[in-house]
Structures are given as C-alpha cells and as structure tokens.
Amino acid sequence: MPTLILVRHGRSTANTEGVLAGWTPGVALDERGAAQAAALPGRLAGLPIREVVASPLQRCQETIRPLLDARPELRAHTDERIGECHYGDWSGRKLAELKDEPLMEVVQTHPSAAAFPGGESMRAMQTRAAEAVREWNARVERDHGADAVYLMCSHGDIIKSLVADALGLHLDLFQRVSVEPCSVTAIRYTRLRPYLVRLGDTGDFASLAPREEPPGDDAPVGGGAGAP
C-alpha cells in the first residue's frame, strides 16, 4: 500500500495572532509561512510524489502552490474530509481566552469526549480524516501501484489524529503528538499495519532549544505556531 506524506500548512496569520481559526475564511499564510511553503519543493525533491490532496482552506492551498508550480505534472485534489476540525462557536476566538473554558480541560485530557459547541466532536474529526486516507490509499494504489507516494496537506489536529490512528493509539492520547507548521509526517501503509516513519519533521532543530517563556503543559489546540 502507498506511503502517505502529511504536510501541515505553513504558519498562518491565525497562528501568530493566537486565534483558533477553524474554518474561518481568509486565514492566509504569514510571511514565515509563505517562506516555509516556498522551501517545500526542495525538501521533497527526492520523493516521487504521484498525487497531492489538500484541505480546501486557504492556508493549505497556499502551502501546496509552490510544490504544484515546481511539478506541473502533479494532479491536485481537494478533499473536505481533511479540512480543519469544525470548532463551531470557538472558531475565531483567542486561545488565551479559551483556556479558561471548562471544555478545554476535556479537549486536553479526554478528547474522545470533546464536542465543540456548534461544531463537531473530535471523534468525528478523526473518523472522517481516517476514512479519507483509507479511500485515497486504495485510489493511489489502483492508479499508481502499491509502492506509490502521495501527499496530503492538512491541519495540526487532523494530522495528530491520523498519527494516533496509524499507531493504534486511543484518541485520548493524541495530544501527546506535536506537528509544527509545514512539518512533514510520513506513514507507510501495508496490508497488516501502518508504519510511522517520520513525525513532525521540519529539518530545523531550533524549536528544541529552551525558550524564554517555556510552553505550558497543555497541547496547543489547532497545532500551534511552532518555533518562534
């Protein structure tokens, strides 16, 4: 079965403003995010990517544009099932104010029970994304062979939930996974089990250095802004 390259979108204006974007329209890459997207073709130059699938949201479409420009032979597809979690009434709100919401504790420690007001549950988010991957695995294998490589550009919580699915982890453990903006995660699927072969690879180790203001214990909902 194919190898899936998961790319989180580059850093967005919502990331730097500390806003939970969700499906809010008009959320673009910021200057750093555009530079991350521009570097993506070089980072992936050695991979024979056969298909590109992206979330319909602007920040993902902007992230894959340089790759598609560099490889005009690639077929690009949009799939809403790998779009961001529907955060409902939380969309567009500052993360700093959401941390005091009682639901945030559930999101952090028991996400399989979390459902966003006016939005969807985290279980539903994981289910739709995993179903999309399985369908695309079958399609890519049919069209390009069992050893084919394809790419999906999606969002932090989606990618984390797919990593949990691949590792057989309960969704309640997915907040232990971290994927920075424009990071590359790779999962090789086989008939019997998936293999996680890369996780959150940015090629930059600066984010591992101690920060002046250490990150808190909570996982950043939506994926966070990455290294400063």
Side-chain angles (χ1 to χ4, degrees):
M1 297 177 70
T3 295
L4 169 60
I5 307 299
L6 286 162
V7 175
R8 184 183 167 201
H9 62 78
R11 196 175 74 176
S12 72
T13 54
N15 294 145
T16 49
E17 293 168 1
V19 170
L20 187 62
W23 284 70
T24 304
V27 177
L29 299 182
D30 67 6
E31 185 176 352
R32 179 171 180 171
Q36 291 170 333
L40 195 59
R43 291 171 60 199
L44 301 176
L47 289 176
I49 298 169
R50 305 306 298 268
E51 304 276 2
V52 173
V53 187
S55 157
L57 295 173
Q58 180 178 339
R59 52 199 184 272
C60 286
Q61 296 291 324
E62 289 179 351
T63 298
I64 62 168
R65 177 48 51 195
L67 178 64
L68 297 176
D69 289 343
R71 301 197 195 187
E73 76 282 1
L74 278 178
R75 288 190 290 176
H77 311 269
T78 297
D79 194 325
E80 290 194 356
R81 294 174 297 176
I82 62 167
E84 181 63 283
C85 185
H86 291 275
Y87 297 117
D89 297 344
W90 279 26
S91 299
R93 292 179 62 186
K94 290 278 190 181
L95 290 165
E97 69 180 44
L98 289 171
K99 68 181 178 61
D100 295 325
E101 293 277 357
L103 178 60
M104 182 59 85
E105 185 178 11
V106 182
V107 171
Q108 292 294 324
T109 61
H110 190 19
S112 66
F116 296 98
E120 70 179 332
S121 69
M122 302 199 93
R123 296 188 316 278
M125 173 198 75
Q126 183 187 45
T127 297
R128 63 173 164 85
E131 287 178 350
V133 166
R134 282 161 175 75
E135 289 182 19
W136 277 102
N137 281 347
R139 178 172 173 175
V140 170
E141 181 173 1
R142 180 197 68 203
D143 294 346
H144 303 289
D147 296 325
V149 177
Y150 75 107
L151 181 147
M152 282 185 168
C153 183
S154 188
H155 306 266
D157 282 348
I158 295 288
I159 293 172
K160 288 163 58 177
S161 74
L162 290 171
V163 168
D165 175 75
L167 292 176
L169 294 177
H170 196 282
L171 183 62
D172 286 346
L173 300 179
F174 99 125
Q175 297 289 27
R176 301 183 183 194
V177 179
S178 176
V179 289
E180 292 197 0
C182 224
S183 62
V184 173
T185 294
I187 301 171
R188 180 165 57 87
Y189 289 88
T190 74
R191 186 174 64 87
L192 298 180
R193 64 181 65 86
Y195 292 89
L196 179 65
V197 292
R198 292 289 187 280
L199 176 61
D201 187 349
T202 63
D204 178 6
F205 296 106
S207 63
L208 302 180
R211 302 184 188 181
E212 291 184 10
E213 295 184 9
D217 293 333
D218 286 346
V221 181

